[in-house]
Amino acid sequence: MGTISGADLLVRSLQVEGVRALFAITDISFTPLSVKAEAAGMLVVAGRHESAEVHMADAWARATGIPAVVVGGMGPGVANLLPGVVNAWTEGVPVVVIGTQRTSRADQAVRRNRFQYVPQLELFRPVTKFAAAIPEARRVPEYLREAFRHALGGRPGPVYLEFAPELLREEVDEDVNPVLAPAAYRAAPGSPDTAAVERAAALLGRAARPLVLAGNGVHTAEASEELTRLAEIAGAAVCTTPGARGAISERHPHAVGMANALLSPVMQEADVVLAVGTGIGEVVGYGQPPAWAGPAVQRLIHLDRDPLVIGVNRPVDVALVGDVRQGLSALTKALATSDTRNDGDWARERAVGAQQVMNMMVDAGLELDGSPVHPARLAAEFARYLPEDALVCLDGGNSALWAHLALIVTRPRSLLWTGHFGHLGTGIPYAIGAKLARPDRPVFLFSGDGAFGFNLQELETASRVDAAIVAVVNCDYAWAMEEQGMLDEVGRTIGVHTSVVRYDLVAEGLGCHGELVDSPEGIVPALRRASASGRPAVVQVVVDHAMNVNPPGMSEFLEMYNAATT
Ligand SMILES: Cc1ncc(C[n+]2csc(CCOP(=O)(O)OP(=O)(O)O)c2C)c(N)n1
Ligand SMILES: [Mg+2]
């Protein structure tokens, strides 16, 4: 009978779950963990700020469906993890967060004015699905199992585990608490109830104007193909939440794009809505008037793996609780054998209209000449430049809105954006995490200049780990999204403008390729040089600040928010 260290038990517990990356700024409190993870073949990456490392792990999970691990050293290292964890929690992204702690849980009750001590568990409890202190090495597998059950079950989310540094070095009997395979300790949801599927299929089959609202749960379940097949069989139009774009190809003849204020006429017209893998939150108007029609005239079928999201924001006619992929397949099967189903004319008509508007955004943007560059021109040039297999990250205020208007997303897990929390600063780390997870894909970032500044130093990380991302900065030297509201309220701005910054030179100083562009004609050549450099690259494009203040759809967007019940 052999012995095994706490660090080994931890790494093995991560490996059985397919974890391949560990993000950590070195801290001697967890040296054995870094060493064992590296020895096990995991990618061990040190960022320049713990919160950015959480964003990297978050992007890894979004790009692959598999969680990554972030480790913080006791006290400040753990405290710095917090914003990244808050973002992952609100966004429903599984991240395994580990902290060392000055002392064991049992010893924390005594107030001794310790160096680098803060009650970490209490900080993380409200923003994780599970937070616990592992008391001793032999219980590592048990705590990791519980952590993964929570991180990946229901609506996914981050989990936090902590321990005193000695735990990693402690040797325990190898056979006492062995590491099990995931199938032995956590179950995936099954297919929804058959009778409910039949009722849903009957309702969808009789619909005159069926519309599917797809959320991130479609990505979680890897159910894009099933979603597309259902749309075809049901003759339904499909929109996605803004954060789940690409769940269906936006070029599919039934795709009507993002559920936002601009799509409201279609959302109101539908007589049966199938919401799938979404909590129908505020960004889609809570599924209520004025963005949608009321329950009296618009029926709702809601399919989700988590029963806790059903009926929260809108009364439901048929609830389907279970795996999204199996649920969609079951619905497709039930409809395929039914003689009552929609012919898809309404869906195709609406999709033609919606896709014309989407194409128009690019065509109209390309017409805008002059310097400084119009942000719509930049977004259009960017969208047109992207290769088909691009993975795009968005960050910024109005900058992100311009990009949303110009982009057409055709693949799942290809647009990373904090659609729920709107967390500025996620862009650079998201792009790095995505590129490390998917080196086979060209990874781009479209960011506002304000957002870009939060984690600018991570460009050094990108350079060091060879994450050849191409970052485009829509640079108006201002926090433009905040400007109009402030002008409307007090007639002037405070703290909206920043000084002129050479992000291209900063990028070069941090080991990346840099480009500064001030004319529309300069954009594409700079993008080409950036891609060809083979290095992480920053293309700073100076845009017209006045034009950046009010992107189309902005006022409707605010109107929809204000009108939906809070
Ligand atoms: C971390 C964080 N801080 C503040 C905000 C509030 N906020 C939303 S948009 C925005 C302006 C963003 O400026 P920039 O990235 O330059 O994009 P622009 O609107 O100028 O295109 C601010 C400050 C936020 N969403 N997140
Ligand atoms: Mg700006």
Side-chain angles (χ1 to χ4, degrees):
M1 196 163 49
T3 62
I4 184 168
S5 70
D8 266 320
L9 274 177
L10 188 46
V11 170
R12 280 195 201 175
S13 299
L14 297 170
Q15 277 193 299
V16 293
E17 286 283 359
V19 173
R20 290 197 291 115
L22 181 146
F23 296 91
I25 292 178
T26 302
D27 183 299
I28 53 167
S29 67
F30 57 79
T31 301
L33 180 54
S34 306
V35 170
K36 298 291 185 186
E38 194 185 63
M42 284 166 64
L43 194 62
V44 179
V45 174
R48 302 289 299 227
H49 191 295
E50 288 84 355
S51 185
E53 292 180 328
V54 180
H55 296 325
M56 290 177 201
D58 171 334
W60 184 291
R62 287 177 192 250
T64 64
I66 300 166
V69 177
V70 190
V71 190
M74 48 179 69
V78 171
N80 261 0
L81 295 165
L82 201 53
V85 175
V86 171
N87 178 59
W89 183 70
T90 56
E91 293 274 322
V93 182
V95 180
V96 177
V97 185
I98 291 174
T100 48
Q101 174 58 298
R102 270 306 312 279
T103 181
S104 77
R105 194 71 190 152
D107 194 31
Q108 287 183 44
V110 182
R111 206 168 38 81
R112 293 187 58 202
N113 202 10
R114 295 177 172 101
F115 178 62
Q116 297 195 323
Y117 173 76
V118 66
Q120 298 169 176
L121 208 48
E122 284 77 356
L123 288 176
F124 284 88
R125 223 165 233 146
V127 292
T128 53
K129 290 186 72 187
F130 175 66
I134 311 180
E136 49 187 335
R138 71 187 175 87
R139 299 189 67 187
V140 164
E142 176 190 345
Y143 276 75
L144 266 288
R145 289 195 288 270
E146 184 68 355
F148 277 102
R149 268 183 219 112
H150 284 279
L152 299 173
R155 182 178 192 257
V159 290
Y160 172 75
L161 292 171
E162 69 174 27
F163 41 78
E166 306 80 76
L167 174 140
L168 294 172
R169 289 129 178 128
E170 196 185 329
E171 291 283 331
V172 295
D173 183 342
E174 196 162 12
D175 300 327
V176 169
N177 197 349
V179 174
L180 306 176
Y185 61 85
R186 61 181 179 86
S191 193
D193 174 67
T194 315
V197 169
E198 291 297 332
R199 275 188 286 129
L203 191 54
L204 256 184
R206 288 194 305 272
R209 294 171 304 280
L211 173 66
V212 181
L213 167 66
N216 259 323
V218 174
H219 291 130
T220 304
E222 307 293 350
S224 284
E225 274 178 36
E226 289 74 8
L227 171 68
T228 308
R229 215 165 304 135
L230 174 79
E232 289 162 1
I233 286 280
V238 183
C239 60
T240 65
T241 61
R245 294 185 67 184
I248 185 169
S249 166
E250 290 174 349
R251 293 197 202 283
H252 187 278
H254 289 217
V256 291
M258 297 190 264
N260 63 9
L262 300 175
L263 192 70
S264 223
V266 177
M267 286 144 62
Q268 285 161 353
E269 219 184 338
D271 62 342
V272 177
V273 174
L274 165 64
V276 43
T278 167
I280 320 181
E282 189 173 17
V283 285
V284 292
Y286 292 130
Q288 291 184 20
W292 302 78
V297 289
Q298 186 174 65
R299 316 296 293 277
L300 177 69
I301 303 163
H302 198 165
L303 164 61
D304 202 279
R305 73 204 307 231
D306 181 3
L308 290 181
V309 307
I310 309 266
V312 173
N313 287 330
R314 157 123 193 190
V316 63
D317 293 284
V318 185
L320 300 173
V321 177
D323 176 59
V324 160
R325 181 151 63 153
Q326 293 177 53
L328 289 169
S329 293
L331 272 174
T332 303
K333 219 163 143 196
L335 276 165
T337 52
S338 149
D339 1 296
T340 336
R341 31 173 225 266
N342 191 288
D343 58 14
D345 282 350
W346 176 79
R348 281 186 292 273
E349 239 171 67
R350 291 298 172 269
V352 166
Q355 291 183 28
Q356 265 168 3
V357 173
M358 287 159 83
N359 293 333
M360 203 182 71
M361 292 294 176
V362 176
D363 296 343
L366 293 174
E367 299 284 310
L368 298 165
D369 282 326
S371 296
V373 175
H374 195 296
R377 173 76 184 259
L378 173 58
E381 295 283 4
F382 174 74
R384 197 170 59 157
Y385 175 79
L386 292 174
E388 196 62 32
D389 59 344
L391 196 159
V392 180
C393 306
L394 296 186
D395 196 2
N398 289 347
S399 304
L401 298 186
W402 288 114
H404 261 304
L405 291 171
L407 288 172
I408 293 169
V409 189
T410 58
R411 297 175 187 211
R413 298 195 184 279
S414 297
L415 185 74
L416 309 192
W417 181 57
T418 59
H420 271 280
F421 200 50
H423 195 142
L424 297 183
T426 40
I428 297 175
Y430 268 18
I432 296 171
K435 186 68 189 173
L436 291 174
R438 296 297 309 265
D440 55 317
R441 294 186 68 177
V443 173
F444 291 83
L445 165 65
F446 192 93
S447 177
D449 55 331
F452 202 66
F454 283 93
N455 282 310
L456 194 51
Q457 74 282 3
E458 298 300 339
L459 289 173
E460 186 278 326
T461 307
S463 159
R464 179 165 30 90
V465 302
D466 282 332
I469 58 173
V470 174
V472 173
V473 187
N474 183 65
C475 187
D476 68 342
Y477 306 114
W479 306 93
M481 188 181 250
E482 304 306 319
E483 182 160 342
Q484 195 59 54
M486 202 177 246
L487 285 173
D488 291 348
E489 192 173 342
V490 294
R492 65 191 180 98
T493 60
I494 305 173
V496 164
H497 297 272
T498 66
S499 45
V500 169
V501 175
R502 290 290 300 272
Y503 293 102
D504 61 322
L505 297 182
V506 175
E508 284 181 6
L510 292 169
C512 303
H513 176 88
E515 295 274 349
L516 179 68
V517 177
D518 59 7
S519 72
E521 299 72 34
I523 298 168
V524 169
L527 283 170
R528 288 213 184 97
R529 287 191 296 273
S531 296
S533 74
R535 285 191 286 150
V538 172
V539 180
Q540 174 181 358
V541 183
V542 181
V543 297
D544 188 333
H545 167 70
M547 294 300 122
N548 197 35
V549 174
N550 261 317
M554 183 65 185
S555 51
E556 292 88 342
F557 195 62
L558 292 175
E559 222 172 86
M560 183 175 89
Y561 279 175
N562 295 336
T565 42
T566 51

